[in-house]
Amino acid sequence: MSTLVIVESPTKARTIRNFLPSTYRVEASMGHVRDLPSSAEEIPEAVKGEKWAQLGVNVEADFEPLYVIPKDKKKIVKELKDALKDATELILATDEDREGESISWHLLQILKPKVPIKRMVFHEITREAIRDALTHCRDIDNRVVQAQETRRILDRLVGYTLSPLLWKKIAWGLSAGRVQSVAVRLLVRRERERRAFRQGSYWDLKALLEKGKISFDAKLVTVGNVKVANGSDFDENTGQIIAGRRVLLLNEEQARALLSRIQNKPWTVGNIEERPVTRKPSPPFTTSTLQQEANRKLRLGARETMRIAQSLYERGFITYMRTDSVHLSEQAIAAARSCVQELYGSEYLSPQPRKYTTKSKGAQEAHEAIRPAGSTFRTPQQTGLDGIDFRLYDLIWKRTVASQMADSRQTHVTVQTQVEDAGFRSSGKRIDFPGFLRAYVEGSDDPNAALEDQEVILPALKVGDKPNCKDLEAVGHETQPPARYTEASLVKMLESEGVGRPSTYASIIGTIVDRGYAKLIANALIPTFTAFAVTTLLETHFPDLVDTGFTSRMEQTLDEIATGEAKWLPYLQKFYTGETGLATQVKEQESQIDAKVARTVVLENITAKVCIGKFGAYLESESEEGLVKASIPQDLTPADLDPEQVEFLLKQKTEGPEKLGLHPETGEPIYVLIGSYGPYVQLGEVSETNKKPKRASLPKGTDKDSVTLDMAVSLLTLPRLLGTHPETGAKVQANLGMYGPYVVHDQGKVGKDYRSIKPPDDVLTITLDRALEMLAQPKAARGSSKTATPLKELGAHPESGELINVYDGRYGPYVKHGDINASLAKDESVENFTLQKALDLLAAKEAAGGGKSSSKSKKSTKTAAAKSETATKKTTTAKKTTAAKSETAAKKTTAKKTETAAKKTTAKKTATATTAKKTTKSS
């Protein structure tokens, strides 16, 4: 007797296999095994002539979907059918959400099993969970399948009906979507707000006061009992004070006059207010809150977060990662409280177990929040994970454990001080008991927001005290436009508006970027001109489809179909057919949409037309010589396009590029131009004999008007050959690339080693010695905003010979050796930190289980030290003292190899050095 178990992925299959008896065979379907046709070639010959075939849904026959098995799934289906022949039972163990239910249903339709069938669901992949799920199998939930099928059909109707209209009226390859188009509209609306924004300016005073040798800040808030204006008092559309606000707006002259008047006058404490504040921990993660927090703290996109979380789930580290629920099982609550008790002590436990409930009606994707898997939680250090897997698990672990911790108790202190008629305010925060903040601090979308666990200590003050004023300055401010959406804030907005399902947000944001509706720059989603054109067309002709309220109600109906409260067929008929249905609307509106108008983006203060063309956005303007067209640089956004830029782009097209001067050596003219990828300098003119003149992009942040002839000449020398690498003989260059300036150690076929050039280093002046120093440093971790430059170099490890350095980390300075990081004590000075202290700290961390496979790390570093004189020499650039010690150790075992290598060809020297470098890297 054998049982066939089908799951979605090979990783999930491998994990589950470990928990089942040998009579169970576990296979993967690789996701969906059939779907609506994605191209014309997938449509069966029997229905190719039908007018609904391209749609993939027979709208004339009760919206019957046309399901096909894609080419890449036919082999998998055959393998599953073959496996079923030998089985006496079939268990469908796909994910417990709607998508998983749908996959199981499709498998059932294709395989047509003649053996008993069971549907097994679980929210974590542990031995206990799998064994328990085996004893609680059920049938496929047809209502959930129907809801998912309705969702799929609805999305196809919207996408395949509107997208062809966009191809005809705007540009080929564009797409519309039920949730995607609403999300794009949110981005466009925010960009319109930024464009309409008018900046306001105001001044105030900032003082540094002192009492009892403790300094604290104070900010001007009133003059003559009238509130001093700040950023919140301005109208974003006018840049002026909001009508009706009774505030005092200070300009620079007035602020400095006030400063002079009160400069040496006595300060008096007028009022002190202490307000106790209790903060509760956040609930454990749902899909959307995990995406938001991973974006804020780890700088991960939604897609990347879900990919990593999927992997963690399938390997048994966390529970199911597609869920709207914040609920924790009794088992999970007990496990979290046990962690708190063991790691922090009983005083950090919440008095009673915290039970979280989900307020959203549609929260039914899964039964529990995202948490570490199992009845006991492995600490992040116990998992054996590393890199970004470790960091995401660490985030989930901390959030779950913190959810069962005691409240944080703080006291907020406000001190009012008076100097003549000027009132100042100082704000302090005292953490009386950290509670859950010991484990976890939630991130914020506001970069200026203070962290919850950050104390601001004020001196002991009482009314009537007269603090000393150590410094007083006038400070100018300018109001800022509304912040662009990040992936985190867009996910938050979509969820709050009830648009779409959190489990789909990652793919939606990915599609928006992939289809050219937005660019992801510095973690901000910036809509393109194409997004403006598409949104304007949909707002004008199909307003309901991009209305958040309409889309939210649609989502509620789909949820009601899943619970049996609504019928799917009448809903689809009303939405698509009939007098007000989508199909009718598209037919009526198509003739009314002028393609030229649809391709034109209207922007205030821009007299030229902005049009969408085959190769992107361009300007169109009438001149005396006729119609002039000029491409808009791809990195120029709608909010940043101003009349001056428009004038320059058009002038460049009609009068030719701006000439800086002549090259001092060749005599050729040097021009400054703006192209599709931004401003650049060009040597000479384009001609029949010079079709591709030498060009160089301007460094990021460099304005075209600030480019001098000398700078242009220097840029045209890029890439600069700095010299040859002393170990490999390969060239070292400095250049400008897509992501900014860099140095590269180019070893040809062996590979290239890059390092980014950060200020104060300059691509035009950097030396070979500095480049070698940078190349000797380890690369910064991917996605890290910190550089790999150490705060302090301590020396070589006595066993491995590797440098031990102190680095600046997210939570303060830390010492690093191999895979082991150890934080310095809060009162430890970096300047006075020694190599011996570092060795003691690292040894203690390793003994406590810190770092990944520390014994393996030791072994590999010893091997590297023994094998690689070249690797030792590399450290010479970083520190001569360290190099002397390391070189001595390395020479003992490598003298013969080095002597032999010296007699060989230069090519072999390079290969040897490369091998040594790889060995060092592996350590």
Side-chain angles (χ1 to χ4, degrees), residues 226-250:
V226 178
K227 179 180 177 289
V228 174
N230 59 35
S232 64
D233 295 310
F234 284 82
D235 186 331
E236 293 184 343
N237 298 312
T238 64
Q240 304 299 314
I241 296 295
I242 297 170
R245 290 278 172 96
R246 185 176 175 270
V247 291
L248 174 63
L249 177 60
L250 295 178

mmCIF file of all heavy atoms in Angstrom, residues 226-250:
data_model
loop_
_atom_site.group_PDB
_atom_site.id
_atom_site.type_symbol
_atom_site.label_atom_id
_atom_site.label_comp_id
_atom_site.label_asym_id
_atom_site.label_seq_id
_atom_site.Cartn_x
_atom_site.Cartn_y
_atom_site.Cartn_z
ATOM 1 N N VAL A 226 2.000 84.463 21.035
ATOM 2 C CA VAL A 226 1.470 84.059 19.723
ATOM 3 C C VAL A 226 2.324 82.905 19.195
ATOM 4 O O VAL A 226 3.562 82.975 19.208
ATOM 5 C CB VAL A 226 1.492 85.232 18.720
ATOM 6 C CG1 VAL A 226 0.980 84.772 17.358
ATOM 7 C CG2 VAL A 226 0.653 86.388 19.245
ATOM 8 N N LYS A 227 1.673 81.848 18.748
ATOM 9 C CA LYS A 227 2.376 80.657 18.254
ATOM 10 C C LYS A 227 3.224 81.006 17.030
ATOM 11 O O LYS A 227 2.770 81.700 16.117
ATOM 12 C CB LYS A 227 1.366 79.574 17.880
ATOM 13 C CG LYS A 227 1.973 78.291 17.328
ATOM 14 C CD LYS A 227 0.878 77.281 16.996
ATOM 15 C CE LYS A 227 1.434 76.020 16.365
ATOM 16 N NZ LYS A 227 1.926 76.212 15.001
ATOM 17 N N VAL A 228 4.467 80.501 17.015
ATOM 18 C CA VAL A 228 5.359 80.700 15.871
ATOM 19 C C VAL A 228 5.045 79.632 14.821
ATOM 20 O O VAL A 228 4.891 78.449 15.145
ATOM 21 C CB VAL A 228 6.841 80.611 16.306
ATOM 22 C CG1 VAL A 228 7.762 80.670 15.099
ATOM 23 C CG2 VAL A 228 7.162 81.737 17.286
ATOM 24 N N ALA A 229 4.932 80.051 13.575
ATOM 25 C CA ALA A 229 4.542 79.138 12.499
ATOM 26 C C ALA A 229 5.579 78.038 12.302
ATOM 27 O O ALA A 229 6.788 78.270 12.388
ATOM 28 C CB ALA A 229 4.367 79.923 11.201
ATOM 29 N N ASN A 230 5.067 76.824 12.021
ATOM 30 C CA ASN A 230 5.946 75.719 11.610
ATOM 31 C C ASN A 230 5.365 75.065 10.359
ATOM 32 O O ASN A 230 4.367 75.542 9.795
ATOM 33 C CB ASN A 230 6.129 74.703 12.743
ATOM 34 C CG ASN A 230 4.825 74.101 13.207
ATOM 35 O OD1 ASN A 230 3.909 73.878 12.407
ATOM 36 N ND2 ASN A 230 4.712 73.831 14.501
ATOM 37 N N GLY A 231 5.955 73.987 9.918
ATOM 38 C CA GLY A 231 5.574 73.365 8.643
ATOM 39 C C GLY A 231 4.120 72.980 8.533
ATOM 40 O O GLY A 231 3.518 73.058 7.451
ATOM 41 N N SER A 232 3.491 72.590 9.655
ATOM 42 C CA SER A 232 2.092 72.150 9.613
ATOM 43 C C SER A 232 1.112 73.295 9.375
ATOM 44 O O SER A 232 -0.072 73.072 9.120
ATOM 45 C CB SER A 232 1.730 71.438 10.915
ATOM 46 O OG SER A 232 1.806 72.330 12.009
ATOM 47 N N ASP A 233 1.585 74.543 9.450
ATOM 48 C CA ASP A 233 0.703 75.696 9.274
ATOM 49 C C ASP A 233 0.608 76.159 7.822
ATOM 50 O O ASP A 233 -0.090 77.136 7.527
ATOM 51 C CB ASP A 233 1.199 76.870 10.134
ATOM 52 C CG ASP A 233 1.118 76.560 11.619
ATOM 53 O OD1 ASP A 233 0.043 76.114 12.062
ATOM 54 O OD2 ASP A 233 2.131 76.741 12.321
ATOM 55 N N PHE A 234 1.307 75.479 6.908
ATOM 56 C CA PHE A 234 1.351 75.924 5.514
ATOM 57 C C PHE A 234 0.389 75.143 4.635
ATOM 58 O O PHE A 234 0.181 73.940 4.814
ATOM 59 C CB PHE A 234 2.764 75.788 4.956
ATOM 60 C CG PHE A 234 3.712 76.848 5.427
ATOM 61 C CD1 PHE A 234 4.331 76.748 6.663
ATOM 62 C CD2 PHE A 234 3.974 77.961 4.649
ATOM 63 C CE1 PHE A 234 5.208 77.724 7.110
ATOM 64 C CE2 PHE A 234 4.842 78.951 5.080
ATOM 65 C CZ PHE A 234 5.460 78.828 6.318
ATOM 66 N N ASP A 235 -0.185 75.849 3.653
ATOM 67 C CA ASP A 235 -1.024 75.232 2.627
ATOM 68 C C ASP A 235 -0.106 74.713 1.527
ATOM 69 O O ASP A 235 0.653 75.488 0.925
ATOM 70 C CB ASP A 235 -2.007 76.281 2.061
ATOM 71 C CG ASP A 235 -3.002 75.666 1.082
ATOM 72 O OD1 ASP A 235 -2.658 74.663 0.433
ATOM 73 O OD2 ASP A 235 -4.114 76.204 0.956
ATOM 74 N N GLU A 236 -0.189 73.413 1.254
ATOM 75 C CA GLU A 236 0.721 72.808 0.273
ATOM 76 C C GLU A 236 0.474 73.326 -1.139
ATOM 77 O O GLU A 236 1.367 73.273 -1.992
ATOM 78 C CB GLU A 236 0.571 71.285 0.285
ATOM 79 C CG GLU A 236 1.043 70.639 1.576
ATOM 80 C CD GLU A 236 0.966 69.126 1.515
ATOM 81 O OE1 GLU A 236 0.262 68.608 0.628
ATOM 82 O OE2 GLU A 236 1.607 68.467 2.350
ATOM 83 N N ASN A 237 -0.717 73.828 -1.409
ATOM 84 C CA ASN A 237 -1.049 74.273 -2.769
ATOM 85 C C ASN A 237 -0.662 75.723 -3.043
ATOM 86 O O ASN A 237 -0.623 76.147 -4.200
ATOM 87 C CB ASN A 237 -2.549 74.097 -3.026
ATOM 88 C CG ASN A 237 -2.965 72.641 -2.931
ATOM 89 O OD1 ASN A 237 -2.325 71.777 -3.513
ATOM 90 N ND2 ASN A 237 -4.025 72.362 -2.181
ATOM 91 N N THR A 238 -0.402 76.492 -1.959
ATOM 92 C CA THR A 238 -0.061 77.904 -2.153
ATOM 93 C C THR A 238 1.315 78.259 -1.612
ATOM 94 O O THR A 238 1.905 79.267 -2.013
ATOM 95 C CB THR A 238 -1.108 78.806 -1.459
ATOM 96 O OG1 THR A 238 -1.046 78.577 -0.036
ATOM 97 C CG2 THR A 238 -2.514 78.503 -1.972
ATOM 98 N N GLY A 239 1.825 77.452 -0.689
ATOM 99 C CA GLY A 239 3.089 77.795 -0.047
ATOM 100 C C GLY A 239 2.925 78.903 0.976
ATOM 101 O O GLY A 239 3.908 79.447 1.482
ATOM 102 N N GLN A 240 1.665 79.261 1.297
ATOM 103 C CA GLN A 240 1.361 80.327 2.249
ATOM 104 C C GLN A 240 0.708 79.726 3.501
ATOM 105 O O GLN A 240 0.278 78.569 3.507
ATOM 106 C CB GLN A 240 0.410 81.357 1.629
ATOM 107 C CG GLN A 240 0.925 81.965 0.329
ATOM 108 C CD GLN A 240 2.230 82.714 0.512
ATOM 109 O OE1 GLN A 240 2.374 83.497 1.451
ATOM 110 N NE2 GLN A 240 3.187 82.489 -0.379
ATOM 111 N N ILE A 241 0.651 80.550 4.565
ATOM 112 C CA ILE A 241 -0.012 80.112 5.794
ATOM 113 C C ILE A 241 -1.485 79.823 5.506
ATOM 114 O O ILE A 241 -2.137 80.563 4.775
ATOM 115 C CB ILE A 241 0.107 81.197 6.889
ATOM 116 C CG1 ILE A 241 1.580 81.403 7.276
ATOM 117 C CG2 ILE A 241 -0.714 80.819 8.112
ATOM 118 C CD1 ILE A 241 2.229 80.215 7.933
ATOM 119 N N ILE A 242 -1.985 78.721 6.048
ATOM 120 C CA ILE A 242 -3.385 78.339 5.852
ATOM 121 C C ILE A 242 -4.296 79.458 6.356
ATOM 122 O O ILE A 242 -4.082 80.011 7.442
ATOM 123 C CB ILE A 242 -3.692 77.020 6.599
ATOM 124 C CG1 ILE A 242 -2.851 75.879 6.010
ATOM 125 C CG2 ILE A 242 -5.176 76.677 6.532
ATOM 126 C CD1 ILE A 242 -2.902 74.593 6.814
ATOM 127 N N ALA A 243 -5.292 79.780 5.543
ATOM 128 C CA ALA A 243 -6.210 80.882 5.889
ATOM 129 C C ALA A 243 -6.864 80.628 7.245
ATOM 130 O O ALA A 243 -7.323 79.524 7.540
ATOM 131 C CB ALA A 243 -7.284 81.004 4.811
ATOM 132 N N GLY A 244 -6.876 81.684 8.077
ATOM 133 C CA GLY A 244 -7.518 81.591 9.384
ATOM 134 C C GLY A 244 -6.586 81.186 10.513
ATOM 135 O O GLY A 244 -6.982 81.243 11.678
ATOM 136 N N ARG A 245 -5.353 80.758 10.184
ATOM 137 C CA ARG A 245 -4.414 80.384 11.248
ATOM 138 C C ARG A 245 -3.826 81.636 11.884
ATOM 139 O O ARG A 245 -3.298 82.516 11.200
ATOM 140 C CB ARG A 245 -3.259 79.541 10.664
ATOM 141 C CG ARG A 245 -3.650 78.145 10.223
ATOM 142 C CD ARG A 245 -3.678 77.185 11.392
ATOM 143 N NE ARG A 245 -4.229 75.906 11.010
ATOM 144 C CZ ARG A 245 -3.507 74.848 10.645
ATOM 145 N NH1 ARG A 245 -2.192 74.934 10.642
ATOM 146 N NH2 ARG A 245 -4.091 73.716 10.327
ATOM 147 N N ARG A 246 -3.917 81.726 13.230
ATOM 148 C CA ARG A 246 -3.331 82.866 13.947
ATOM 149 C C ARG A 246 -1.934 82.463 14.423
ATOM 150 O O ARG A 246 -1.753 81.940 15.510
ATOM 151 C CB ARG A 246 -4.212 83.259 15.125
ATOM 152 C CG ARG A 246 -3.722 84.519 15.847
ATOM 153 C CD ARG A 246 -4.676 84.935 16.961
ATOM 154 N NE ARG A 246 -4.137 86.064 17.715
ATOM 155 C CZ ARG A 246 -3.355 85.937 18.794
ATOM 156 N NH1 ARG A 246 -3.042 84.723 19.241
ATOM 157 N NH2 ARG A 246 -2.893 87.025 19.415
ATOM 158 N N VAL A 247 -0.968 82.673 13.552
ATOM 159 C CA VAL A 247 0.415 82.328 13.872
ATOM 160 C C VAL A 247 1.336 83.453 13.423
ATOM 161 O O VAL A 247 0.972 84.278 12.583
ATOM 162 C CB VAL A 247 0.851 81.008 13.168
ATOM 163 C CG1 VAL A 247 0.127 79.808 13.752
ATOM 164 C CG2 VAL A 247 0.642 81.095 11.666
ATOM 165 N N LEU A 248 2.527 83.447 13.994
ATOM 166 C CA LEU A 248 3.527 84.451 13.650
ATOM 167 C C LEU A 248 4.536 83.806 12.695
ATOM 168 O O LEU A 248 5.231 82.852 13.060
ATOM 169 C CB LEU A 248 4.240 84.945 14.911
ATOM 170 C CG LEU A 248 5.417 85.905 14.698
ATOM 171 C CD1 LEU A 248 4.949 87.205 14.049
ATOM 172 C CD2 LEU A 248 6.121 86.177 16.018
ATOM 173 N N LEU A 249 4.601 84.316 11.454
ATOM 174 C CA LEU A 249 5.548 83.801 10.464
ATOM 175 C C LEU A 249 6.802 84.667 10.487
ATOM 176 O O LEU A 249 6.760 85.846 10.134
ATOM 177 C CB LEU A 249 4.914 83.813 9.067
ATOM 178 C CG LEU A 249 5.814 83.362 7.915
ATOM 179 C CD1 LEU A 249 6.282 81.926 8.114
ATOM 180 C CD2 LEU A 249 5.079 83.499 6.572
ATOM 181 N N LEU A 250 7.911 84.078 10.931
ATOM 182 C CA LEU A 250 9.177 84.816 11.011
ATOM 183 C C LEU A 250 9.982 84.611 9.732
ATOM 184 O O LEU A 250 10.112 83.479 9.239
ATOM 185 C CB LEU A 250 10.001 84.319 12.198
ATOM 186 C CG LEU A 250 9.447 84.547 13.605
ATOM 187 C CD1 LEU A 250 10.383 83.941 14.645
ATOM 188 C CD2 LEU A 250 9.253 86.043 13.873
#
